[in-house]
């Protein structure tokens, strides 16, 4: 099989890239290790930055998001018995975020690609990539027990943190930066109305908690947990009791509980691989970087990589220009590092790191400053709604 852009991974980055390329007349094939049902069953991100929302609309996949998504103009920070509102709308001159599940966004993208006759090979793991440094890129993959090959002009490595694209670059040509946090997030998804209209982030002496949602009737809650915890030892009641203890009194009283639709533990990690381009192999999304979910940046960074990558490929095919491809890695990484910084800072301010009283008091002082200073609130709000894309033409 031959295509212009061979895409490994049908997560948000691979699907969105394929959709944008298609709208510009560029052919792609997606190889996905998992089944379509598995991909559609994953519960992950839920907060979309304004620029991600704009990209989805421009890619003709924003219709259901605009109908069913929840527009948020702010969020609350709870700490030290207080609950303070960060008015993103006010401090950014009108920007906000959209709450719309990654599962729904993935479904919209898959349906759009299928309707246009796209080739998405499910249960087709890529096992090797070669030729990307000498102009003959080739992806070797498995399908129904057979080895097959996909010839292409470019390989887009959109295969997440555990994919093969980054590993294929070779250990000598890549530099990795990593921090693994000493705790995880235990999350529950339940068909109960959210405790508040917008998100509540809580710093509590028992550990962090987040009240999030997917719709007016479906809630997503998280509590900081031990990395060695196992979902099997957490009953639904134990989860709700622990969440209630960490919430401010007013929220705890309003909390509606119910049975889990899903419960899982996510480890927290900051990770960046440099560079993001190796000849005709270009990394995008979690394949190149991971952030702890506190700042809700992972999916949004995947979208911003796709913004730059699709621009570079469109200009290459339309005008035979390679300058944007040459700048792809540096341009992405400037924005990536700022989001990694913001996610690390927000995580450090909100979570319990051991029992050191000094550390706890410093977190409370920072939250007091943040919620009391116009400059600090503005910085928080503009990072949360997402920093603007760099010019890339
Ligand atoms: C619990 C949790 C909560 C999160 N919350 C948020 C949030 O609120 N906001 C936010 O922005 N982000 C959030 N994230 C992060 C977000 O989900 C990811 O950043 C996003 O999924 C990245 O998309 P991607 O397409 O780059 O990678 P992925 O979604 O990981 O997709 C990669 C795909 O590649 C496939 N693949 C892997 N190896 C191969 C192979 N060899 N061959 C073929 N296919 C392969 C995988 O099966 C997968 O389908 C959260 C993540 C988690 C786990």
């Amino acid at each position: 099989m031959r295509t212009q852009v061979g895409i490994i991974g049908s997560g948000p980055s691979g699907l969105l890239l394929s959709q944008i390329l298609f709208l510009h007349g560029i052919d792609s094939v997606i190889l996905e290790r998992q089944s379509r049902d598995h991909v559609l069953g994953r519960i992950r991100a839920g907060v979309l930055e304004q620029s991600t929302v704009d990209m989805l609309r421009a890619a003709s996949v924003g219709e259901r998001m605009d109908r069913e998504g929840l527009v948020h103009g702010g969020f609350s920070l709870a700490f030290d018995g207080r609950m303070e509102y960060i008015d993103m709308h006010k401090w950014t001159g009108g920007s906000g975020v959209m709450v719309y599940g990654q599962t729904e966004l993935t479904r919209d993208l898959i349906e759009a690609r299928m309707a246009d006759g796209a080739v998405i090979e499910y249960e087709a793991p890529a096992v090797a990539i070669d030729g990307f440094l000498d102009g003959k890129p080739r992806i070797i993959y498995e399908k129904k027990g057979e080895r097959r090959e996909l010839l292409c002009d470019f390989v887009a490595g959109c295969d997440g943190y555990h994919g093969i694209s980054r590993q294929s670059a070779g250990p000598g040509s890549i530099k990795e930066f990593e921090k693994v946090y000493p705790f995880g997030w235990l999350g529950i998804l339940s068909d109960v109305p959210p405790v508040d209209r917008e998100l509540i982030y809580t710093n509590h002496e028992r550990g962090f908690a987040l009240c999030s949602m997917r719709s007016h009737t479906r809630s997503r809650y998280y509590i900081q947990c031990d990395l060695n915890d196992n979902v099997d030892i957490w009953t639904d009641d134990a989860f709700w009791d622990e969440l209630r203890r960490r919430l401010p009194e007013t929220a705890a009283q309003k909390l509606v509980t119910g049975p889990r639709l899903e419960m899982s533990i996510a480890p927290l990690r900051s990770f960046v691989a440099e560079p993001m381009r190796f000849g005709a192999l270009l990394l995008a999304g979690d394949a190149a970087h991971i952030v702890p979910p506190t700042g809700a940046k992972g999916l949004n960074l995947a979208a911003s990589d796709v913004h730059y990558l699709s621009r570079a490929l469109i200009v290459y095919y339309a005008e035979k220009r390679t300058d944007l491809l040459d700048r792809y890695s540096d341009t992405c990484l400037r924005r990536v590092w700022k989001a990694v910084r913001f996610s690390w800072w927000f995580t450090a301010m909100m979570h319990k790191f051991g029992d050191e009283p000094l550390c706890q008091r410093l977190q409370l002082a920072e939250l007091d400053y943040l919620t009391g200073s116009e400059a600090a609130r503005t910085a928080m709000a503009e990072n949360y709604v997402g920093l603007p894309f760099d010019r890339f033409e």
Side-chain angles (χ1 to χ4, degrees):
M1 190 160 45
R2 180 168 174 89
T3 187
Q4 288 174 299
V5 182
I7 299 176
I8 308 180
S10 80
S13 50
L15 289 163
L16 183 56
L17 177 64
S18 175
Q19 173 71 0
I20 297 173
L21 294 180
F22 166 75
L23 294 175
H24 288 82
I26 301 167
D27 190 41
S28 66
V29 167
I30 302 180
L31 303 175
E32 168 59 50
R33 176 176 61 181
Q34 304 286 0
S35 68
R36 182 178 157 162
D37 285 348
H38 179 97
V39 170
L40 284 171
R42 288 192 296 225
I43 310 293
R44 286 185 168 181
V47 177
L48 307 181
E49 293 176 352
Q50 186 68 52
S51 53
T52 306
V53 168
D54 294 342
M55 277 181 77
L56 293 167
R57 287 180 185 145
S60 306
V61 283
E63 199 195 316
R64 193 162 70 97
M65 171 189 73
D66 280 327
R67 217 172 44 242
E68 297 177 11
L70 308 175
V71 175
H72 285 191
F75 60 86
S76 296
L77 291 172
F79 59 99
D80 207 16
R82 295 161 54 185
M83 188 144 104
E84 303 285 347
Y85 187 63
I86 301 290
D87 190 335
M88 293 185 287
H89 205 261
K90 176 172 173 187
W91 301 115
T92 60
S95 291
V97 295
M98 173 87 82
V99 172
Y100 188 63
Q102 179 170 333
T103 316
E104 305 310 318
L105 182 153
T106 305
R107 180 177 297 281
D108 296 343
L109 283 163
I110 289 177
E111 283 177 3
R113 292 309 296 118
M114 296 313 249
D116 289 320
V119 181
I120 307 180
E121 295 268 31
Y122 289 102
E123 299 178 72
V127 293
I129 312 168
D130 60 27
F132 53 87
L133 293 179
D134 48 24
K136 292 189 187 113
R138 186 175 68 134
I139 307 170
I140 318 291
Y141 66 101
E142 286 173 357
K143 182 81 187 177
K144 294 183 179 152
E146 279 176 21
R147 286 221 149 189
R148 299 186 187 175
E149 63 176 33
L150 176 63
L151 304 176
C152 45
D153 303 331
F154 296 98
V155 177
C158 302
D159 49 353
Y161 180 70
H162 299 288
I164 64 149
S165 298
R166 191 178 66 253
Q167 278 94 321
S168 303
S173 53
I174 203 156
K175 191 166 183 190
E176 297 185 343
F177 304 82
E178 183 167 40
K179 175 179 177 59
V180 179
Y181 296 82
F183 42 73
W185 278 18
L186 174 66
I188 196 169
L189 185 74
S190 183
D191 271 338
V192 290
V195 71
D196 202 11
R197 214 176 58 77
E198 295 178 315
L199 275 63
I200 306 175
Y201 288 86
T202 302
N203 170 305
H204 191 272
E205 59 194 20
R206 296 181 67 88
F208 170 78
L210 170 61
C211 303
S212 184
M213 72 278 294
R214 292 294 178 266
S215 70
H216 292 303
T217 54
R218 182 168 289 186
S219 298
R220 182 71 163 154
Y221 294 105
Y222 297 99
I223 52 175
Q224 178 181 346
C225 68
D226 196 283
L227 261 185
N228 298 319
D229 270 2
N230 184 321
V231 284
D232 299 335
I233 61 168
W234 279 90
T235 62
D236 292 356
D237 284 345
F239 181 94
W240 294 119
D241 287 347
E242 186 57 35
L243 176 65
R244 209 179 276 111
R245 282 190 202 107
R246 298 183 190 187
L247 295 184
E249 192 55 35
T250 45
Q253 282 171 2
K254 285 192 292 173
L255 184 69
V256 181
T257 64
R260 74 180 78 175
L261 295 172
E262 188 260 8
M263 189 185 267
S264 54
I265 294 179
L268 271 66
R269 182 191 304 273
S270 298
F271 172 83
V272 181
E274 294 184 341
M276 290 172 59
R277 179 191 176 193
F278 310 86
L281 168 63
L282 301 114
L283 305 181
D286 280 16
H289 40 72
I290 297 281
V291 284
T294 325
K297 293 290 170 228
L299 169 59
N300 293 299
L301 276 184
S304 81
D305 291 351
V306 168
H307 165 78
Y308 295 122
L309 181 51
S310 57
R311 292 277 319 137
L313 291 169
I314 291 163
V315 163
Y316 171 81
Y317 282 110
E319 304 170 30
K320 284 282 165 257
R321 269 172 55 198
T322 56
D323 55 320
L324 296 193
L325 286 166
D326 294 340
R327 280 169 22 221
Y328 170 71
S329 179
D330 288 348
T331 311
C332 283
L333 285 167
R334 278 185 73 187
R335 197 168 188 279
V336 165
W337 274 111
K338 287 177 201 150
V340 170
R341 183 211 68 81
F342 174 70
S343 304
W344 158 80
W345 166 78
F346 199 11
T347 303
M349 183 171 66
M350 298 307 293
H351 290 74
K352 179 175 169 140
F353 289 79
D355 287 318
E356 202 190 311
L358 179 80
C359 176
Q360 289 166 6
R361 296 302 281 263
L362 289 174
Q363 286 181 330
L364 296 183
E366 181 148 26
L367 282 157
D368 191 30
Y369 167 68
L370 169 66
T371 52
S373 152
E374 198 170 305
R377 277 185 303 225
T378 304
M380 172 92 200
E382 73 180 10
N383 278 279
Y384 195 88
V385 301
L387 297 175
F389 291 151
D390 283 337
R391 265 175 73 91
F392 195 60
E393 287 160 15

